Each structure stands twice: as C-alpha cells, then as structure tokens.
Amino acid sequence: MFCLPVRQKVILKSGYRSHLIKMNRLKHVWRSQIVRQSFIDYFKNQQKHQFVPSSSVIPKKGEGTYFTNAGMNQFRPLFLGAVPPGSVMADYKRVVNSQKCIRVGGKHNDLDDVGHDLSHHTFFEMLGNWSFGDYFKKEACNMAYKLLTEVYRLPPHRLYFTYFSGEKSLNLLPDEECRTIWLELGIPNNQILPFGMKDNFWDMGETGPCGPCTEIHYDHIGKGGGASLVNTGSAEVVEIWNLVFMQYNRESEQCLRKLTNQHVDTGMGLERMCAVLHGTKSNYRTDLFTPLFDTIHKISKVPVYGDKVGKDDTTGFDTAYRILADHTRMITATIADGLLPDRVGLGSKVRHVMHRAIQQSIDVFHCDKTLLLALVDQVSNSLGETYPEIAKNNQKIKDVISLTEDNYKRNIEKGTKAFNKMMNREGDINKLTGNMMYELHDGRYGYHVPIDLILDLAAERNLQVDEVEFESILQSKKDGSGHTPDLAADKQTLNADVLEKLRCDGITTDDSYKYRYTSKDKEYEFENVQGITIKGMICNRVLTKRLEEGTTGFVIVDKTNFYAENGGQSSDNGQIITKTGQGHITDVQMYKGHILHNVKVTQGHLLVDDDAQLLLNQDARKNHMMNHTATHLLNSAIKKILVDAQQNGSDIQADKLSFDLTSVGTLSLENIGKIEDTVKHCIQDSCTVDRQVMSLAQAMNIPGVVSLQNEVYPDEVSVIKIGDDVSTELCCGTHVTNTRDIVDFCITKLSGVSQGKKRVTCVTGDRATQAAKNKTLLEEKYKQLENNIKSLHRSQTWTQDVKDIYKMLRLELLPKVTRDVYQVEVDQLQSVIRTELNKQMAKHITQLVESELSTEFDKNIKIITTLPTNDIKLVVKSIKDVEISKPIILMSVQHISPSLILICLPYKSKDFHSKLKKSAIPGKISQVSSTGDRDIYSIINKTLPSSDNLQQIQNTLTNLIMNNR
C-alpha cells in the first residue's frame, strides 16, 4: 500500500488545522446578514442584475395551493411566456433575490424531518440569480465560481461539480457543454461528476419548461476522496448551489422540444451556505439559530444546546431546541405575510406547526407563552431588516401566538375529554379506524378534536391510526352535500384551440364603457353603447356562428358596458337584442383577457357579425355600485377600530355585501355599533368618490393606499379615492359618484369564519332602511309585551307574542347589534314569562284538584281528566300541599301530546309500581315521587289515546288501585 512520508502527513494535517482555524475566524465575519447581502451585492454590482424583493410565502391567485417553496415561483410567468404586455416583469433580464420559502405540505414536505437531523427546515431562505433570455451556461457557471472562490473564498479543492449524464429514452445527450465550461475554469476532471435525470435534470411540472442542471457540492472533510460521497445524502459532502438551465419545453412525458428563449434559474440555501462559512456541518450552528437557542436556554433553564441527534440526544432537548426554533421562524414568516391559523387550507398547516411549537414549549421546556413570544422578537431581530414585514408585524405575530396558545390549552382539555369518551364507548382497542378518527374530528363526542391532537393522544396510548381511511372519509364529506363549491371553479373556461383562434382573429372587447355613467340627485344615467357587433360565440367549448333558441353560450362583442365579475363584485346582467333574436345575459366573466357574456337565447337565434344592443339591468348595477363603495367605507371604518385588521376579500352582490378580514382583536357589539356609525357619517357627509387610472408603481406610492395582500394587480390600475382622506384603494369595480347615494347602511351579521378570520355582512339603500324599520317594529313589540307582563295583562297571548318576536329575530332583516341585544333580552323575558305562567298554571291545578276532591266520587278513587298540562314536575309541585285522603288519577286533556297520567296514592305501596309495569297500559311508567305517606306514579304516552282506550285505561288503573289495598 502506498504511504505518504511522515513529513508530508504532518504538513497535510497542519494545512487542515489551519483551514479550520481560518474558518473558525471567518464565522465571526460571515454572519448570515453578510452572507445574504454579499450574494445580492455581487450580482447587483458586479454582474448587473436587478434586485427583486422576496414574494410572500403565501401563493397568489392562480399560483397553486402550497406555500412558496422555491425562489423561482414568482417568476413562473416569465418561464411560461405568460407575462402580460406592459408588465414590469416583462423588462426582467437579469434578476437576483433572497426568497422566503416554506416546505410544509405538497411534494416538498420537510416537517417530519425537522429536529431529527441538522439540515432540514420548514422555513428557509433561497438565494438565487436568474437570466431570462439573456446569459446562459457559460456566464452562469463563471459567475457562480467567482462568487464562491473570490467573494466567499471557499477553497476550490473542496468543491465538486455535477452535470447531466444524458437520457437515452428521451434522446438527450450528456451535457458536455457544461462539463467543458468547468474544465475551462480550471476544475480538475475528478471534481466534475456526471449524474442522471434524478439528480441533474429539473422539471417545473408534468409539462412546461425544464432542463439539465449543474450542482455545486462542498466537501467538509477536505482531504480528497469526497467524490464518492456526492449525492449520497452524506453530511460530509453537501450540495450548496444548483444552477438550472431551462432549454427545453416538456410537452409530454416522452416529448421535449428546445425553447426559443433559454433561461437560467439558480438556488442556494442560505442556511447551508452559512454553515459552510461557519466551518460546521450543522445548519443550526450559525447566527440564524444560536440567538434563539440562547433565549430558550435562558428562559427554560434546560442545558445549553449541544447539536446532538438521534441516540446521542439522550435527553431529547437538542431535538426540541431545533423544532422550536425552526417552527418559530416559520410561524413568524407566515403570519407576517398575512396568514393566520385555520382549520382548512394553508392556515391549517400554520395551525399544526404552531401546535407543535407550543407543545415543545410546554411539554419539554415547561414554559408558558413567554418563551414563544421572546423567540418571535429574536426572529424579528434576525430577519426584520431583510424582510420589513416581519418587523412591522412583530406585535401582531405575538398576539396571534398568545391567542393560539390559549386556544391550544382549551383544545387539549376538551379534546382529551372527547377522546376518553370515545375510548370508553369503543372499549379495549389497539387501533383507531378512519371512521373513529372522523367522528372525533367531526365533534361526535361533544368537541371537534383537531387531527394533530387525535394523533398525539393515540400515540400516548400506543394506538395505531388509519390516516389513509380518515383522509378518504374527510374528502368524501367535502365532496358531498356539506362541501361548499368553489363558484369560480364552476365557471366555464376556454380551451387552447378556442383561445388561439380568438387571438389569430384579433377578437377583443373594449369594456371601458362600464365606467361611463353620470349622476344627478341620486339618479344614474348609464351610457347606451352604440354600434355593437357580435364578434364570436362559444357553445359547449366550441366556436360557433349561430346560437339557437333555448341554448346557452358565451357571446363576445367588440364593446360592452357590462361589468365582468372581478375584484369581489358580481357581474352585471341584462339582455342582448339583435335583428334575428334576443336572450338573457345571466353572467359576465373575464377569461384570459376575453369578456364572455353568458347568454341564454330566449327568442329566435343569434349570429356572429350581427349588430347587437345590450340592455343593462340598471337597478342591479346601481346596487352593486352602492355596495362596493360601502365596502370601501367599511374597510376604512374597521381599521380605525382594529388597527391590525387586514382585508381578505369581499363578495359584492346586488342585495348585500360581505367583507372578510383577519384580526387578532374582537369585534364587540360596541365596536360594531361604532363601525356602523362611522360609515353612516361618511354617507351623510356626502363625500365625493373619484376614480383615477395610473400605473401600479404610481399607485403604490400614494400615502395610505390600500391593496389586497397576495392579489395579482395589472400594471395599470384604478384608484378609488373617497373624500379628502376617508379611503384610497386599488379597485377595478364600479362605484357611486358620491357617498350620499348609498342612502343608508346597516351591518346585519358577523360570523367567525375561523380563528382570527371574520366575515361582516351588510346592506345599503332601501334594504338598510327596511332593517331600521324592522328594528323600530321589534322594539315596539318587545316594549308592549314587557308592559303586559309587568301588568299581568293578556297573559293568554304572551307565549305567542314571544314566538312572534323570536321569528322576527330569526327571519327579518335587522341590524346585527339590535338582533344580538334583543336575543338576550327576549331570552330573559321568556324566562320571566315561563315563571309567571307556571305560577298561574300551578294555582289553576291546585284549585282544580281541590275543587274536584270537594265533590262526591265513587269507588273511593277520584279521576280528573281535565289536567291542562303534561309537565310532571309542575303538577307534582302544584298538589304538594293539597290534602289527599283517597287515591286520585289525573289525566291531561286529550289534545295535549304526549299525554300524561298521574296516579297519586295517599299511602305507601311496595309492589304497585311493578304491577303497574306489568299491566297492559301503554307508555313510559315511572315513580316520580315518594315522600311522607304519599306515592306518585306517571305514565307518559307519545300516542294520544282514543276515547275508548281512555276508558279502558281508567278501568285498568281503578282495578289495580282497588286490588292493591
């Protein structure tokens, strides 16, 4: 075996030791902020890249249902060639950024691995540079190598470079171009390694842009021989950068075509790069995490973090350290971007991660919410400068965590109680079936137990669980009657062939006429559009020249004043008339830039190229305008009460509006009243409503401008300004020209959609006025009933009067505050009525029995068949003080259901109860009282007895009593 001379061995060891000393020194220089900024500055200043801020971790509309998990997500339109003309993105050539990423759920889900090793995270930062049709492989590789070796000063001998080895089934040759580039940069041949599709070919999806990639790996050992560890999952040699060359478009699994424009997409994980520059194999041994660990140690007093994993982590503290620190970063980033814990969607992922963090804090570190709140401050200190939204929302994040921890503790208590109830019912089991889990989750045992708590409780009891069956049941329930359909998903879309034909024929619609209207004294005049021509029609997803009577299809005209559903506002409706026919326009949608009028032909037929007249339903449009402007006033008013309130969306119909918001604060009845009054004052102040069109960049620079987070706005937007400083919002909807035209406003409902989410429902105009009238009527009815009760007047109508008031509260249009206040008042009043009527009834029963007993009767048994109630307790209480010397039988009047028979014996009887049960008398038989020298028995029968049966029952009871003496 070949051996190095001793002298050379010493030199090598000395060199390695020097490297470690150097790296140890560098970790004080290469703080995460410097690593991140050095990357950005290098590409900005030396390579002429444009810096684009990180997008939200919450996907925008149309970007899917998973968190942002890669730097390229916000640039998908560029890769797909779907950038709208005039978009700011259209000018991107060279871009650099640091992107917040989350991998929880979906294809890339690192949640279960976090804590159990030194490299996985739910939240991480991806440093990246992009070229969109500008430079390609040679420049990208040169830039990467220069950054690593000259800026970060990594030793070249520690770097390994992979390239695509080809794929015969796709006729893809090895990427020798990439290999040659690395060789020309001076990389030794043994540090350039080929790999196949799995490691070195990147796809955006099942179809779309794709291409080979080259990965750069770092060797922590540095002694040579690291090549064998590349792409093996070893912690000794780790990937630090991936450069993707998008040069193909995948049309199917086996069909790739070369792209006209080739792109570069690179990604470097900040956490791993910081670890490399700190001279450690652990991502958790850098300043991104050590301040968090110090805080945990300081507050919990547990041993300091030791970076141990698996069996070496004998106490489990190091694993818990990593879970808690990682999860706090993820929670902080998501809440800062506007996402709150929820039972569904991405919010459920946040909720699950928060519960895991809270569990670690409570169960492992034995700390209350103080620990998590302190960790949020540390995350804000670490990331707040780079991502200002984190620093800005610091207090909101802590408020959400505080509220969630309180809810979590209640969940544990109630969920455990429900779980135990289920276990008592099921008996000795070793597995939870999917159905058992669903029943727990659905509230069968008195509480809706979160799935993560079900899994934890099952684990504590060593129970197996069938998650697959549970998910299947859950999905089937969603797809069934309990699922609220996504209305947008039900809208028809145009297939690629139709879209291409419309594009080639240059068919477009000018819908600017929707904004052309004038007003005077609350009356609106909408411009009648002249010279309209039908340019295209689609029926059953196919272009057609003719729509026959009775059929429904999309009609595209060259100009329209109809509003297509957008920005939360429902579409207009009306009629279309041509020389050959007419139809109802039931809906208007915008799809891929085309305005689609959904028409049901009611007479004759419609033809392409015919002139048409569009008749707008002006009443519905005006109601939409009133409700949309009121929505802006409501948004402004809410933010004055709940400073952290954030709009989540709105639904503006002709008859009402609903407004969704997220807020940690609560909307008390007092606050609802204040919000309602604020909006009403704005209406009374007759504020002007102006619409201005400008670039998105200009609009976003307006002080105090309001926009929806994660909404995709075009590059030219409308800004709606109300008054001097009432409200300024980005909005494409239609509005009244003056707030006085809204006439009136009323909040009718407030519902909690989920934790932190609220939905406010309101009405305007005549409906708001009607709500005010209903309020007055309700108040009058209540006052009249209250006076009647106080004066004991018309007691025979009290019960019906209460029912009428409850019906108004349930069915009539009323202000939310009025409904809630009077619900409580009427509940209390009903209790007073019940007490008073019971007093009257008890007095009546006492008098009835005393009167009947004062008359002569046969067989020494008194039978009374005119009992006016079936309330057993009330009857027993009523005859408690009546002197009874002989048996009596009390029977409720025949129309009362269920019927009641009460047998009162003025003596003790040991076996009467058993004899009564053995008799043929139908109904539920019970002994209801046995006090002093008196026994009372009841018979309740849900079936009303006939006259003959009643007589038979009387005879049977009489014989039983007589024979029992």
Side-chain angles (χ1 to χ4, degrees):
M1 185 177 71
F2 176 76
C3 293
L4 287 171
V6 174
R7 170 75 178 158
Q8 198 165 344
K9 283 185 181 179
V10 172
I11 292 173
L12 282 176
K13 287 183 180 178
S14 175
Y16 181 55
R17 190 181 304 113
S18 299
H19 171 70
L20 287 181
I21 294 170
K22 180 182 178 183
M23 294 302 286
N24 195 46
R25 255 195 334 264
L26 282 175
K27 73 180 182 182
H28 299 292
V29 177
W30 287 115
R31 299 188 62 81
S32 57
Q33 181 67 25
I34 298 174
V35 177
R36 184 192 299 112
Q37 199 58 47
S38 294
F39 185 96
I40 294 170
D41 288 345
Y42 168 76
F43 281 102
K44 271 179 63 178
N45 301 332
Q46 294 189 41
Q47 305 300 342
K48 309 305 178 187
H49 284 57
Q50 178 181 350
F51 174 73
V52 175
S54 169
S55 64
S56 168
V57 295
I58 309 167
K60 293 182 179 180
K61 288 182 181 178
E63 290 184 354
T65 57
Y66 297 115
F67 289 109
T68 299
N69 59 17
M72 56 75 61
N73 286 37
Q74 67 171 310
F75 305 117
R76 278 178 180 268
L78 281 162
F79 295 128
L80 296 171
V83 178
S87 167
V88 173
M89 196 177 286
D91 296 328
Y92 290 170
K93 294 300 180 185
R94 297 184 175 201
V95 166
V96 61
N97 88 340
S98 175
Q99 174 65 48
K100 298 174 295 181
C101 297
I102 289 177
R103 288 189 174 171
V104 176
K107 179 181 177 182
H108 302 288
N109 186 0
D110 292 342
L111 179 59
D112 292 336
D113 295 319
V114 169
H116 301 292
D117 60 25
L118 303 176
S119 59
H120 281 91
H121 311 284
T122 57
F123 170 84
F124 63 97
E125 296 177 71
M126 186 67 81
L127 304 174
N129 62 289
W130 289 267
S131 166
F132 303 113
D134 186 23
Y135 60 81
F136 202 46
K137 293 182 185 179
K138 184 172 185 178
E139 295 86 348
C141 293
N142 270 275
M143 292 175 189
Y145 189 68
K146 184 176 180 181
L147 174 71
L148 293 176
T149 58
E150 295 183 19
V151 177
Y152 290 146
R153 299 180 183 178
L154 295 182
H157 74 274
R158 287 176 174 265
L159 301 177
Y160 289 90
F161 305 82
T162 67
Y163 68 96
F164 180 52
S165 61
E167 177 60 44
K168 289 183 179 179
S169 66
L170 293 172
N171 294 318
L172 295 177
L173 298 173
D175 192 357
E176 289 295 333
E177 179 188 1
C178 180
R179 178 175 176 273
T180 301
I181 292 169
W182 291 126
L183 287 171
E184 290 175 349
L185 284 169
I187 310 299
N189 190 54
N190 63 352
Q191 288 177 234
I192 307 172
L193 311 171
F195 285 90
M197 293 286 291
K198 178 185 174 183
D199 296 302
N200 277 78
F201 197 91
W202 191 89
D203 283 278
M204 182 181 288
E206 292 182 6
T207 60
C210 58
C213 62
T214 179
E215 296 176 339
I216 304 175
H217 296 251
Y218 179 80
D219 182 359
H220 280 285
I221 303 173
K223 296 180 180 180
S228 63
L229 297 178
V230 172
N231 282 336
T232 64
S234 168
E236 307 291 350
V237 179
V238 294
E239 176 196 341
I240 57 173
W241 206 349
N242 187 13
L243 284 60
V244 179
F245 308 121
M246 294 195 187
Q247 60 190 81
Y248 301 105
N249 184 60
R250 184 182 289 278
E251 297 181 357
S252 67
E253 187 177 348
Q254 294 297 318
C255 181
L256 275 67
R257 296 187 188 278
K258 280 213 169 188
L259 289 171
T260 304
N261 291 318
Q262 298 176 327
H263 312 295
V264 174
D265 165 17
T266 85
M268 173 194 285
L270 174 68
E271 290 74 13
R272 186 168 289 179
M273 195 66 220
C274 285
V276 166
L277 291 173
H278 280 61
T280 175
K281 300 171 190 174
S282 170
N283 289 6
Y284 290 89
R285 279 292 198 186
T286 74
D287 66 297
L288 288 168
F289 290 94
T290 49
L292 300 175
F293 294 160
D294 291 344
T295 299
I296 295 171
H297 168 66
K298 181 178 179 180
I299 294 177
S300 69
K301 309 300 182 186
V302 303
V304 296
Y305 176 70
D307 211 37
K308 296 176 182 177
V309 296
K311 293 179 181 179
D312 293 335
D313 184 17
T314 55
T315 64
F317 283 135
D318 284 356
T319 299
Y321 263 111
R322 290 188 289 270
I323 292 173
L324 187 56
D326 169 88
H327 287 10
T328 304
R329 280 160 48 93
M330 183 269 193
I331 293 163
T332 300
T334 52
I335 298 175
D337 277 348
L339 189 62
L340 294 181
D342 201 344
R343 288 191 176 90
V344 295
L346 290 181
S348 67
K349 307 294 184 187
V350 178
R351 186 171 183 257
H352 180 55
V353 172
M354 288 185 76
H355 284 182
R356 282 172 58 114
I358 293 167
Q359 183 185 40
Q360 297 295 320
S361 179
I362 295 173
D363 295 347
V364 179
F365 296 109
H366 304 293
C367 293
D368 59 14
K369 64 184 72 173
T370 305
L371 175 55
L372 270 173
L373 301 186
L375 289 176
V376 171
D377 286 334
Q378 286 295 343
V379 175
S380 185
N381 290 339
S382 171
L383 303 178
E385 183 178 342
T386 305
Y387 309 110
E389 62 276 9
I390 290 178
K392 178 183 176 183
N393 291 290
N394 183 261
Q395 187 56 49
K396 175 185 174 181
I397 296 164
K398 293 198 287 187
D399 289 343
V400 172
I401 289 175
S402 180
L403 179 62
T404 303
E405 184 159 331
D406 292 341
N407 290 338
Y408 173 81
K409 291 175 181 177
R410 285 194 292 270
N411 283 342
I412 293 291
E413 182 181 346
K414 293 180 180 179
T416 303
K417 185 177 179 180
F419 194 95
N420 290 338
K421 191 182 291 185
M422 183 273 296
M423 291 297 293
N424 291 336
R425 189 190 108 170
E426 297 295 338
D428 187 18
I429 58 173
N430 57 20
K431 181 179 180 179
L432 290 187
T433 66
N435 192 57
M436 291 176 190
M437 295 168 69
Y438 179 76
E439 288 183 342
L440 277 167
H441 187 63
D442 197 45
R444 168 77 181 273
Y445 297 95
Y447 182 70
H448 296 272
V449 187
I451 184 59
D452 50 345
L453 180 55
I454 294 173
L455 296 176
D456 288 342
L457 292 171
E460 287 176 10
R461 293 159 175 78
N462 294 318
L463 297 174
Q464 297 177 9
V465 293
D466 193 337
E467 290 188 72
V468 174
E469 185 188 12
F470 168 75
E471 290 294 341
S472 176
I473 295 172
L474 193 64
Q475 190 59 47
S476 68
K477 298 293 183 183
K478 286 180 180 179
D479 293 338
S481 59
H483 175 58
T484 302
D486 181 358
L487 297 180
D490 290 341
K491 306 292 185 185
Q492 285 195 358
T493 56
L494 307 182
N495 61 44
D497 291 339
V498 171
L499 283 170
E500 180 62 18
K501 178 64 174 171
L502 294 175
R503 186 188 68 80
C504 291
D505 292 347
I507 296 177
T508 58
T509 304
D510 177 6
D511 67 338
S512 62
Y513 297 90
K514 64 190 177 188
Y515 298 123
R516 299 187 188 180
Y517 50 85
T518 56
S519 65
K520 184 178 181 181
D521 298 329
K522 299 182 184 178
E523 293 296 324
Y524 280 73
E525 184 176 334
F526 298 89
E527 182 175 323
N528 188 18
V529 186
Q530 302 294 322
I532 297 173
T533 303
I534 297 177
K535 305 300 288 185
M537 294 191 295
I538 302 106
C539 185
N540 296 325
R541 298 180 181 267
V542 177
L543 283 167
T544 181
K545 296 287 186 181
R546 183 183 181 111
L547 276 182
E548 297 290 350
E549 184 173 329
T551 61
T552 299
F554 290 137
V555 174
I556 303 176
V557 294
D558 59 346
K559 46 192 170 184
T560 182
N561 60 347
F562 277 59
Y563 183 86
E565 181 181 338
N566 199 7
Q569 181 177 322
S570 296
S571 74
D572 288 332
N573 61 77
Q575 287 185 299
I576 181 171
I577 300 174
T578 71
K579 62 185 180 183
T580 61
Q582 63 184 53
H584 290 309
I585 300 175
T586 58
D587 182 40
V588 186
Q589 294 292 318
M590 179 181 289
Y591 184 74
K592 301 288 186 182
H594 295 287
I595 309 296
L596 309 176
H597 300 73
N598 200 359
V599 176
K600 181 174 183 180
V601 182
T602 56
Q603 183 180 322
H605 57 268
L606 304 182
L607 296 171
V608 170
D609 293 330
D610 271 6
D611 291 338
Q613 183 181 9
L614 300 183
L615 301 179
L616 179 69
N617 181 341
Q618 297 187 10
D619 289 338
R621 162 63 84 83
K622 185 180 176 184
N623 287 336
H624 283 142
M625 291 158 57
M626 292 161 59
N627 287 339
H628 206 149
T629 305
T631 302
H632 287 216
L633 296 179
L634 176 65
N635 192 9
S636 174
I638 286 175
K639 287 183 176 178
K640 291 177 181 176
I641 300 296
L642 300 176
V643 293
D644 71 323
Q646 183 175 299
Q647 181 180 354
N648 262 23
S650 58
D651 182 14
I652 297 151
Q653 305 287 339
D655 60 340
K656 65 181 178 181
L657 68 95
S658 64
F659 182 85
D660 291 353
L661 67 141
T662 56
S663 173
V664 180
T666 57
L667 277 175
S668 62
L669 288 184
E670 181 183 1
N671 284 340
I672 291 172
K674 288 179 180 178
I675 291 167
E676 194 171 73
D677 288 342
T678 300
V679 174
K680 286 184 174 182
H681 287 148
C682 289
I683 293 171
Q684 293 163 4
D685 288 345
S686 298
C687 302
T688 56
V689 182
D690 294 320
R691 176 178 175 271
Q692 289 181 294
V693 179
M694 61 186 72
S695 70
L696 178 61
Q698 281 180 292
M700 295 308 294
N701 285 326
I702 298 174
V705 69
V706 175
S707 61
L708 272 175
Q709 244 184 342
N710 303 313
E711 179 66 59
V712 180
Y713 289 101
D715 289 297
E716 186 176 82
V717 295
S718 294
V719 177
I720 304 299
K721 190 173 189 300
I722 303 176
D724 292 331
D725 56 1
V726 175
S727 169
T728 305
E729 287 196 37
L730 301 189
C731 179
C732 62
T734 58
H735 292 263
V736 293
T737 58
N738 193 291
T739 57
R740 64 169 173 264
D741 298 343
I742 299 172
V743 182
D744 203 354
F745 175 83
C746 175
I747 297 175
T748 60
K749 187 178 179 182
L750 172 68
S751 55
V753 181
S754 59
Q755 181 185 333
K757 288 188 178 180
K758 302 165 181 65
R759 175 169 296 159
V760 185
T761 304
C762 316
V763 292
T764 62
D766 292 341
R767 284 176 60 76
T769 302
Q770 184 60 52
K773 289 179 180 178
N774 290 343
K775 172 188 174 185
T776 301
L777 181 60
L778 175 68
E779 290 171 342
E780 291 172 354
K781 280 181 173 288
Y782 178 85
K783 194 65 179 176
Q784 182 64 51
L785 176 58
E786 189 178 43
N787 290 336
N788 286 343
I789 294 170
K790 287 179 180 177
S791 62
L792 300 179
H793 180 59
R794 293 173 56 85
S795 60
Q796 70 276 13
T797 68
W798 293 354
T799 301
Q800 186 57 48
D801 291 342
V802 168
K803 287 182 179 178
D804 290 344
I805 293 175
Y806 273 128
K807 187 176 180 180
M808 283 192 72
L809 289 171
R810 190 175 69 255
L811 300 177
E812 295 295 339
L813 193 62
L814 287 166
K816 163 71 176 173
V817 174
T818 300
R819 192 186 304 276
D820 284 13
V821 168
Y822 275 92
Q823 185 70 55
V824 174
E825 294 288 338
V826 177
D827 286 346
Q828 293 173 349
L829 200 60
Q830 187 182 44
S831 178
V832 173
I833 290 172
R834 190 180 295 115
T835 301
E836 188 56 44
L837 291 179
N838 282 345
K839 284 181 183 178
Q840 294 182 16
M841 179 64 75
K843 183 178 180 181
H844 173 69
I845 293 171
T846 302
Q847 291 173 347
L848 171 66
V849 174
E850 287 178 341
S851 174
E852 290 286 345
L853 290 177
S854 67
T855 62
E856 294 294 328
F857 48 92
D858 297 332
K859 298 182 181 180
N860 292 322
I861 298 175
K862 185 65 178 179
I863 299 176
I864 303 172
T865 60
T866 55
L867 193 64
T869 181
N870 59 6
D871 188 331
I872 297 173
K873 290 183 180 180
L874 180 61
V875 177
V876 171
K877 185 177 180 181
S878 301
I879 64 175
K880 177 182 177 184
D881 296 325
V882 175
E883 186 176 342
I884 299 174
S885 58
K886 296 178 181 179
I888 59 172
I889 300 172
L890 297 166
M891 307 182 79
S892 59
V893 292
Q894 276 192 285
H895 67 273
I896 294 179
S897 179
S899 65
L900 169 66
I901 301 174
L902 212 65
I903 304 112
C904 181
L905 304 179
Y907 51 79
K908 294 290 185 179
S909 174
K910 291 183 179 180
D911 55 357
F912 183 75
H913 189 205
S914 61
K915 290 179 180 179
L916 193 58
K917 283 194 168 185
K918 291 176 183 178
S919 69
I921 300 173
K924 183 181 179 182
I925 299 171
S926 306
Q927 183 172 0
V928 296
S929 178
S930 180
T931 57
D933 57 355
R934 182 182 295 183
D935 280 353
I936 300 177
Y937 303 89
S938 68
I939 303 173
I940 291 287
N941 192 350
K942 292 181 180 179
T943 304
L944 293 176
S946 64
S947 298
D948 291 341
N949 287 341
L950 203 58
Q951 185 60 54
Q952 187 178 348
I953 290 171
Q954 291 177 17
N955 294 337
T956 302
L957 286 173
T958 299
N959 291 333
L960 277 174
I961 293 171
M962 296 300 291
N963 294 331
N964 189 60
R965 291 196 170 192

